[in-house]
């Protein structure tokens, strides 16, 4: 289901409901300002832009249905939780084997720190960015997602934790390890100083 | 005779390298309390090894921020229009029915 600009999805026609939306509509107040963040996060969670848009649209619909039960506290965290649950449900419905495979893959991932033995020196510029980009791509999914949510999408630890359904401590530890691996790559490439003991 | 420096993280002004490395990324992300932030900052100013490592992490964060791809504006506009249409649907429903309850789709 997608909003194509040519007309509302049929499901919208089913959603006329009553509630205390006026004079200040909480959906306008709490949800609409977060659409851009939701789309960024959806891009991080999904592999295709079209899937990201569909995911946000489903999230908006679910938020609309639940807005009367929302107390107004931490709207972004509330919406990110809806986004996560919607994402999980969509994957289960479409590709029931996917989540199991991902979970199993996560468990198999071992810590494989890169050996770092190269000349010291800090060099900034395109080479640095290129190595960072490669290092990000080389990270296991669970690490890459956290780094992307925090460093690219701009979420706080709490918001990233809501998005992925993990404790904040897990966000911190994965970030720490992920950036550590990226730093090791930079050190190996001679683009960052090696820490001497 | 000066007092012997205390070793606890919570009472010592200058933290150890190990203590700082444990929290440096949270510090760079602005996720530490002010007391911790001050102690980490003091340490990074005084310790070259930790300072260089923190600089590398800062550069990594900056490089990642530069990777943020611009969002598809058309996609964003479609979603905003969809969200607005939901609110308008509510307003119309209230105006027409005044009361009564239509359950949302499952």
């Amino acid at each position: 289901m997608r909003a194509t600009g040519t007309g509302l999805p049929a499901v919208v026609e089913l959603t006329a409901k009553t509630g205390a939306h006026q004079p200040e509509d909480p959906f306008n107040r709490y949800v609409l300002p977060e659409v851009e963040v939701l789309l960024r996060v959806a891009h991080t969670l999904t592999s295709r832009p079209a899937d990201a848009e569909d995911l946000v649209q489903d999230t908006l619909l679910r938020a609309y249905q639940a807005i009367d039960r929302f107390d107004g506290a931490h709207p972004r965290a509330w919406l990110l939780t809806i986004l996560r649950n919607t994402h999980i449900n969509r994957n289960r419905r479409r590709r029931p084997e996917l989540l199991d495979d991902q979970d199993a893959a996560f468990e198999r991932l071992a810590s494989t720190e890169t050996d770092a033995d190269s000349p010291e020196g800090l060099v900034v510029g395109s080479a640095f960015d290129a190595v960072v980009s490669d290092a990000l791509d080389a990270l296991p999914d669970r690490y890459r997602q956290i780094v992307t949510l925090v460093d690219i999408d701009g979420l706080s630890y709490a918001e990233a934790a809501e998005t992925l359904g993990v404790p904040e401590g897990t966000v911190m530890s994965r970030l720490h390890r992920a950036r550590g691996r990226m730093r090791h790559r930079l050190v190996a490439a001679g683009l960052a100083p090696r820490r001497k003991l | 005779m000066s007092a012997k420096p205390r070793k606890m993280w919570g009472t010592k002004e200058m933290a150890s390298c190990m203590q700082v490395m444990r929290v440096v990324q949270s510090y760079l992300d602005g996720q530490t309390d002010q007391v911790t932030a001050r102690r980490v900052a003091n340490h990074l100013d005084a310790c070259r090894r930790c300072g260089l490592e923190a600089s590398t992490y800062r550069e990594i964060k900056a490089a990642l921020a530069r990777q943020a791809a611009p969002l598809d504006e058309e996609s964003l506009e479609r979603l905003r229009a969809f969200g607005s249409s939901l609110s308008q649907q509510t307003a119309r429903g209230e105006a027409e029915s005044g009361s009564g309850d239509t359950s949302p789709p499952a």
Side-chain angles (χ1 to χ4, degrees), chain A residues 26-98:
Chain A
F27 191 84
N28 281 338
R29 180 179 177 186
Y30 298 124
V31 178
L32 295 187
E34 302 294 341
V35 169
E36 183 171 340
V37 170
L38 291 175
L39 185 56
R40 285 193 183 282
V41 173
H43 275 291
T44 300
L45 297 180
T46 62
S47 54
R48 295 190 313 158
D51 287 343
E53 185 173 339
D54 284 351
L55 173 57
V56 175
Q57 186 174 323
D58 286 356
T59 301
L60 291 174
L61 191 56
R62 285 169 184 251
Y64 172 77
Q65 292 165 351
I67 192 70
D68 289 340
R69 299 189 296 278
F70 176 54
D71 63 6
H74 309 298
R76 182 175 295 179
W78 176 66
L79 288 165
L80 290 171
T81 301
I82 295 175
L83 182 83
R84 166 170 53 91
N85 291 334
T86 305
H87 178 56
I88 291 170
N89 288 338
R90 285 165 57 90
N91 276 343
R92 282 196 178 129
R93 195 165 62 239
R94 291 176 176 183
R95 294 173 290 179
E97 77 288 358
L98 183 61

Side-chain angles (χ1 to χ4, degrees), chain A residues 93-114:
Chain A
R93 195 165 62 239
R94 291 176 176 183
R95 294 173 290 179
E97 77 288 358
L98 183 61
L99 290 180
D100 291 342
D101 285 354
Q102 280 186 340
D103 289 343
F106 289 163
E107 294 306 316
R108 286 196 300 271
L109 290 169
S111 176
T112 52
E113 298 291 346
T114 308

Side-chain angles (χ1 to χ4, degrees), chain A residues 3 8 16 18-19 21 25 27-28 36 40 53 57 64-65 128-129 133 151-152 157 172 176 179 195-196, chain B residues 21 25-26 29 49-50 53 59 61 63-64 66-67 69 75 78 83 85-87 90 94 100 102 105:
Chain A
L8 295 178
T18 61
H21 290 275
D25 184 350
F27 191 84
N28 281 338
E36 183 171 340
R40 285 193 183 282
E53 185 173 339
Q57 186 174 323
Y64 172 77
Q65 292 165 351
F128 190 97
D129 284 12
S133 179
D151 286 332
I152 298 179
Y157 289 179
M172 291 171 65
H176 187 98
R179 290 180 184 149
R195 186 182 179 94
K196 291 185 175 178
Chain B
M21 283 301 107
Q25 298 199 26
S26 299
D29 289 330
R49 289 181 306 178
C50 292
E53 187 161 337
E59 290 295 334
K61 284 176 63 63
L64 288 167
R66 287 192 288 271
Q67 289 195 11
S75 176
R78 279 195 296 271
S85 74
L86 290 173
S87 286
T90 300
E94 287 174 351
T102 304

